[in-house]
Amino acid sequence: MITGKNYIGSKLSAKGSKTYKTFNPELNIENEPIYTEATISEINEATQLATEAFETYKAVSGEKKAKFLRAIADEILALDDTLIKTYCSETGLPEGRAKGERGRTVGQLRSFADLVEEGSWVEASIDTAQPNREPMPKPDLRKLLVPLGPVVVFGASNFPLAYSTAGGDTAAALASGCPVIVKSHPMHAGTGELVASAIIKAAEATGMPNGVFSNINSSGIDVGAQLVKHPQVKAVGFTGSIKGGRALYDLAAQREEPIPVFAEMGSINPVVILPAALNNRSEALAETYANSITLGTGQFCTNPGLILGIKSQSLSDFVSSLSNAILEKEPTCMLHPNIHEAYQTKKEKVMSQTDTAITANLNSDTKPNYASQAVVTVDGGTFLKNPILHQEVFGPFSMVVQCDDVDQLEAVISNLEGQLTGTLIADSDEASEYSGVISALQNRVGRIIYNGVPTGVEVCPSMVHGGPYPSSTDSRFTAVGIHSIKRWVRPFSYQDWPNELLPDELKNENPLGISRLVNNSQTKAAIE
Ligand code: NAP
């Protein structure tokens, strides 16, 4: 049942007077439940509980954390239709998408459970002492990764499950040993509360300390800013706009004790189509890309917002085929009136720039909150001169840049801001002739795709979902897959520490049987 209250640890709480409702964009009406924004005293209570919980939670075994994470997954599934219906009513997204995202969320939680249960993720490394070394004895040094402390996670508007309350950031932080305080996204506060109730149930059933998880309601930027500035918070995870992510990053940097903000922000995901590929399959590529641009009403951080090619008849044919194909798609609902309005405004701003040509702009936007998909084309020189054309238009929109030659194509790529993905479309043997283009693309992105589409982020250890700024605030980390746990830990060394006082991961006997780097050799063997 949705109460509209905050979870301050395991307690439901609504001390404040500021309230708000979520919105059903499909029906164009407000949903009934009323949510109460957290007060300063509730924020302080949640951070204090998280700080206290950290003292015990950081030492909870991998086996117990795995039970907790698996219990969260089971409790989310037990929410069944209530969760799916609430999700759909708060997003305008179809049931199939809700179920798919739930599957991904549960899968992420279980993959982190497997990771911490196995245990080698802490990267234990041991260099045993050499007391007789000349001219100086060598001390015994043992290192592992330890959790940072309470983490604040901002729920994402476009992924109410997989990147929100129990999404990738939360799953990774809980797996690492960090308590989590979620700043619930106001557009899907009901989905958030239901998932929070699943986490609290799981925490209680598996004996986790109170405060290991809290869910904070808010509509407006004040509560989020207070959380980021709070001295008891040690790291932040965020998915959303560049404006929001950058503001939080700057706030965290201005604190007396600066803390890391791992923000995954806007991206236009350049797609480079090489000449032979364009020549041989422009029609098929147009159909593939019309689908990718409109998937999920274009509300994906990996949406292909920019398509690059060298001027030719084939490129002109591709532009017409893409424009025709996209106009044949049925318009679909956006997440919220505000996101719809932002789409319209940003799209019109780009379309009004000098020397842009609108080749598709669906004119049957009859239902409220439904997006009209569009394609714009521009030449390489104009694109290079106008930074407005480089900005994300979040929705079913893409721009085709027609470059004079390969040098201009390379210049356009090199002048892009950092991106999550880059895609190369090439015919066999063609790519080897364009090493400069590929190198330029590699410099600007976190993941490079060959002959595919950027939409669809596989959750697995080799996935990189991150990239040079501003696609993320720290390109050394991924926000998806088990290695995303590294955002919430720091390396820590014990020097000459007694064996019985070391954590199990570093003890001579290797009681957990994990893989360790011992005197520069990877092994599961005990130290004699
Ligand atoms: P957002 O505006 O960045 O907000 C995300 C979250 O951060 C919200 O909970 C918001 O709080 C909070 N927030 C934003 N600015 C803040 C600040 N200065 N201080 C404290 N908290 C702050 O993103 P959104 O609501 O999801 O969507 C708005 C636009 O962001 C979209 O139209 C789209 O352009 C872009 N977006 C991009 C991606 C992507 O993956 N590329 C994903 C989602 C959104 P409140 O809502 O409570 O104010």
Side-chain angles (χ1 to χ4, degrees):
M1 195 195 84
I2 294 171
T3 66
K5 295 181 180 177
N6 304 276
Y7 271 103
I8 308 299
S10 57
K11 188 180 69 186
L12 280 165
S13 176
K15 293 182 183 162
S17 54
K18 185 175 169 196
T19 59
Y20 61 99
K21 289 181 171 183
T22 61
F23 194 87
N24 186 325
E26 186 67 54
L27 304 179
N28 203 31
I29 50 166
E30 281 189 327
N31 291 308
E32 273 175 24
I34 297 169
Y35 300 89
T36 306
E37 181 164 298
T39 61
I40 292 273
S41 88
E42 285 168 319
I43 291 170
N44 287 337
E45 213 184 318
T47 52
Q48 180 58 30
L49 276 177
T51 305
E52 288 164 16
F54 181 55
E55 285 312 304
T56 41
Y57 189 60
K58 69 179 181 184
V60 165
S61 70
E63 201 186 333
K64 285 188 178 155
K65 282 190 292 189
K67 284 202 173 93
F68 175 34
L69 293 167
R70 291 194 186 109
I72 298 174
D74 294 343
E75 290 295 347
I76 288 174
L77 290 176
L79 290 166
D80 207 11
D81 256 12
T82 313
L83 179 64
I84 300 299
K85 286 204 168 75
T86 306
Y87 173 113
C88 294
S89 75
E90 294 182 326
T91 59
L93 293 169
E95 202 177 297
R97 159 72 193 268
K99 289 185 173 162
E101 207 185 315
R102 180 182 60 184
R104 178 174 167 166
T105 307
V106 163
Q108 288 175 165
L109 287 158
R110 290 179 177 155
S111 71
F112 279 110
D114 294 344
L115 182 79
V116 295
E117 191 170 53
E118 193 282 327
S120 304
W121 73 274
V122 297
E123 295 178 1
S125 87
I126 299 174
D127 293 280
T128 52
Q130 293 174 14
N132 300 324
R133 190 182 67 173
E134 295 291 347
M136 298 272 285
K138 182 180 177 188
D140 181 286
L141 276 161
R142 302 185 182 214
K143 183 179 81 174
L144 84 171
L145 300 174
V146 298
L148 290 176
V151 168
V152 165
V153 171
F154 284 74
S157 61
N158 58 342
F159 277 92
L161 295 173
Y163 287 90
S164 287
T165 323
D169 288 354
T170 299
L174 290 177
S176 76
C178 294
V180 171
I181 300 168
V182 165
K183 194 297 213 182
S184 172
H185 199 289
M187 292 181 196
H188 49 74
T191 307
E193 188 189 325
L194 288 172
V195 174
S197 73
I199 301 175
I200 295 297
K201 263 193 187 172
E204 288 178 341
T206 55
M208 295 300 134
N210 186 22
V212 71
F213 180 81
S214 289
N215 186 53
I216 299 287
N217 289 332
S218 90
S219 173
I221 64 173
D222 294 346
V223 166
Q226 280 155 2
L227 281 166
V228 172
K229 286 191 288 189
H230 203 289
Q232 287 173 308
V233 169
K234 300 301 172 197
V236 177
F238 171 93
T239 303
S241 66
I242 295 178
K243 191 168 165 239
R246 182 59 201 245
L248 296 173
Y249 182 85
D250 289 344
L251 267 187
Q254 285 154 16
R255 289 169 40 131
E256 195 173 320
E257 178 200 0
I259 55 168
V261 174
F262 297 101
E264 192 251 284
M265 304 177 289
S267 193
I268 53 173
N269 305 297
V271 178
V272 179
I273 313 186
L274 294 182
L278 257 183
N279 201 27
N280 295 333
R281 49 195 165 104
S282 75
E283 191 81 20
L285 285 169
E287 191 54 48
T288 303
Y289 269 87
N291 287 331
S292 179
I293 293 163
T294 52
L295 189 73
T297 325
Q299 300 165 119
F300 289 127
C301 40
T302 51
N303 191 55
L306 189 69
I307 300 175
L308 311 172
I310 298 171
K311 276 180 193 161
S312 66
Q313 186 55 46
S314 310
L315 184 55
S316 307
D317 294 344
F318 170 78
V319 174
S320 346
S321 305
L322 176 67
S323 305
N324 292 336
I326 214 163
L327 289 175
E328 277 166 21
K329 306 276 162 212
E330 283 297 321
T332 46
C333 190
M334 295 199 88
L335 292 161
H336 192 272
N338 295 350
I339 294 214
H340 180 260
E341 197 187 315
Y343 171 63
Q344 282 299 125
T345 310
K346 286 182 187 165
K347 183 177 83 169
E348 278 155 23
K349 188 169 176 190
V350 166
M351 286 176 165
S352 67
Q353 299 301 303
T354 320
D355 296 330
T356 54
I358 303 162
T359 59
N361 189 15
L362 192 78
N363 208 7
S364 64
D365 191 5
T366 46
K367 282 179 93 172
N369 309 315
Y370 272 52
S372 87
Q373 53 265 31
V375 175
V376 161
T377 185
V378 67
D379 67 55
T382 306
F383 183 83
L384 279 168
K385 278 186 276 176
N386 188 347
I388 292 171
L389 302 178
H390 300 213
Q391 287 167 15
E392 180 185 51
V393 178
F394 191 68
F397 171 89
S398 197
M399 182 188 300
V400 183
V401 179
Q402 308 200 35
C403 299
D404 292 340
D405 50 30
V406 71
D407 290 340
Q408 192 178 57
L409 176 61
E410 266 184 56
V412 164
I413 298 168
S414 299
N415 279 282
L416 291 175
E417 293 186 318
Q419 305 289 333
L420 292 171
T421 74
T423 302
L424 187 79
I425 307 285
D427 264 11
S428 46
D429 299 336
E430 196 183 11
S432 56
E433 295 163 41
Y434 291 87
S435 54
V437 169
I438 295 170
S439 171
L441 201 54
Q442 276 178 328
N443 290 340
R444 302 314 302 137
V445 308
R447 172 166 64 110
I448 194 159
I449 298 140
Y450 185 72
N451 277 341
V453 290
T455 39
V457 177
E458 186 67 35
V459 182
C460 64
S462 310
M463 172 54 70
V464 172
H465 193 63
Y469 183 86
S471 65
S472 73
T473 45
D474 195 334
S475 63
R476 294 169 298 171
F477 299 90
T478 173
V480 168
I482 47 172
H483 295 134
S484 64
I485 199 170
K486 294 192 179 169
R487 293 171 300 167
W488 315 122
V489 291
R490 63 190 172 97
F492 184 87
S493 277
Y494 291 88
Q495 184 166 333
D496 291 331
W497 211 247
N499 189 53
E500 65 279 12
L501 295 184
L502 285 168
D504 283 351
E505 288 88 343
L506 298 178
K507 285 193 169 118
N508 287 338
E509 317 80 271
N510 193 12
L512 302 176
I514 60 173
S515 180
R516 314 188 291 186
L517 188 70
V518 178
N519 295 325
N520 284 316
S521 294
Q522 202 67 37
T523 175
K524 289 189 176 181
I527 296 166
E528 299 298 324

